[in-house]
């Protein structure tokens, strides 16, 4: 079959891609866990803060919550796309190419969205005191 020489290179790139997405999903899952543990608790005697957001993160700034959520989604979808790519390499026919390519494009689009939110977080000036070093 044509293109048999590309299988080892594609396998290596897919393995690196899977590792990268697993690391992104693990870090964003950790950040989401921290936000849930340290988040604002509404009790009977507590009132909502003036600038309450349902995507509130005690670390970072106003864009951190959106960044973490979309990075977690991109990490999970990217891992699934890498697994679909590995299945395509195992089959190596044109019938399995469409599913691997379409899931890869969706993962790439979600990764670009998370990257845009990361850029927005960098642009925003308001930082948490823990990130700036001043207390």
């Amino acid at each position: 079959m044509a293109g048999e020489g590309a299988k080892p290179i594609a396998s290596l790139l897919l393995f690196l891609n899977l590792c990268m997405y697993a690391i992104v999903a693990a870090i964003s899952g950790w950040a989401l866990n921290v936000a849930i543990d340290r988040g604002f608790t509404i009790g009977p005697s507590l009132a909502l803060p003036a600038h309450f957001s349902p995507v509130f993160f005690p670390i970072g700034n106003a864009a951190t919550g959106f960044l973490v959520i979309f990075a977690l989604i991109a990490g999970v979808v990217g891992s699934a796309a890498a697994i679909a790519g590995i299945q395509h390499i195992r089959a190596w026919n044109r019938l399995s190419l469409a599913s691997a390519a379409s899931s890869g494009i969706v993962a790439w689009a979600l990764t670009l969205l998370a990257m845009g939110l990361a850029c927005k977080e960098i642009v925003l000036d308001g930082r948490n005191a823990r990130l700036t070093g001043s207390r």
Side-chain angles (χ1 to χ4, degrees), residues 8-132:
I9 296 170
S11 298
L12 175 68
L13 290 175
L14 275 171
F15 178 72
L16 291 174
N17 202 11
L18 179 65
C19 291
M20 180 205 59
Y21 278 121
I23 290 169
V24 166
I27 291 173
S28 58
W30 168 81
L32 187 63
N33 186 35
V34 166
I36 290 171
D37 288 344
R38 297 184 192 169
F40 184 76
T41 306
I42 300 173
S45 63
L46 298 175
L48 287 176
H51 300 287
F52 179 71
S53 171
V55 188
F56 172 74
F57 272 65
I59 53 177
N61 56 22
T64 304
F66 297 105
L67 168 66
V68 168
I69 289 172
F70 280 104
L72 183 61
I73 293 170
V76 170
V77 172
S79 297
I83 292 170
I86 291 169
Q87 287 296 99
H88 168 64
I89 287 179
R90 289 180 64 209
W92 202 255
N93 59 19
R94 59 187 166 93
L95 298 176
S96 64
L97 178 62
S99 64
S102 62
S103 62
I105 289 172
V106 170
W108 179 68
L110 286 170
T111 303
L112 286 179
L113 180 62
M115 186 188 72
L117 289 167
C119 292
K120 182 65 177 177
E121 182 171 5
I122 291 169
V123 167
L124 286 178
D125 290 332
R127 297 264 185 209
N128 192 330
R130 293 181 187 169
L131 295 177
T132 59

